[in-house]
Amino acid sequence: MLKKNRLWFRSALLAILVVAVGYTIYNSMNEESGTYISKGDTAPNFVLTDLNGKQVELEDYRGKGVFLNFWGTWCKPCEREMPYMQRQYEKYKEQGVEILAVNVSETNVSVKNFADRYRMSFPIPMDKQREVTKAFGIGPIPTTILIDKNGKVVERTSESLSEKKIISFMEKIKP
């Protein structure tokens, strides 16, 4: 009888834990995601301040291809992508392609140190309150959204990008 009660108690406790973990995961995924922006959608406009205190508004980039990258300094795949992105930015900015590297909720100091280390010259809008991250439905980072000259989303990916892939993406959104 005692063994039966212990087994029942352990099973009930395990079931409660599984439900609690499942609920937590479900809630955090839904809370983070906001509206999921995907291929064919019009990219929602946003205004953020970059590291230099300048306002960055997506609408100002109409007529250009935009490589919109959501990233963090702590993210190893993001760190690997940055030198590739910088090299391709130098090549493609004269061809009408811009990179906006939206940092997700970090301090200016840590982002500035990171940007200086990797000699990043493209705009780095700071999404401190995660408003733009939520508006685009960003979950894992890095996430890159390709936007054409008309403001339409051409592609969205959350994979770590090779330099070859970045080049193909830049070609895809070149006006």
Side-chain angles (χ1 to χ4, degrees), residues 121-164:
S121 64
F122 42 78
I124 304 172
M126 304 294 291
D127 190 13
K128 292 185 184 291
Q129 304 304 315
R130 302 175 57 93
E131 292 166 355
V132 176
T133 302
K134 289 176 186 173
F136 278 83
I138 304 300
I141 57 173
T143 292
T144 300
I145 298 175
L146 303 179
I147 303 168
D148 71 12
K149 66 181 181 177
N150 300 312
K152 295 283 186 199
V153 174
V154 174
E155 187 150 342
R156 176 190 178 117
T157 184
S158 291
E159 66 184 78
S160 180
L161 302 176
S162 66
E163 190 158 16
K164 186 177 180 180

Side-chain angles (χ1 to χ4, degrees), residues 43-46 56-62 66 68 100 136 147:
N45 190 36
F46 63 83
V56 176
E57 183 170 2
L58 182 60
E59 192 67 30
D60 291 343
Y61 293 89
R62 245 338 133 90
V66 177
L68 183 63
L100 297 179
F136 278 83
I147 303 168

Side-chain angles (χ1 to χ4, degrees), residues 13 15 25 42-43 47-49 51 56 67 72-73 77 80 82-83 88 91 101 119 124 131 164 174-175:
L13 188 58
I25 291 170
T42 298
V47 179
L48 290 173
T49 304
L51 273 180
V56 176
F67 184 100
T73 61
R80 282 190 299 274
M82 288 304 162
Q88 297 315 312
K91 259 173 66 173
R119 295 183 168 95
I124 304 172
E131 292 166 355
K164 186 177 180 180
K174 192 166 62 169

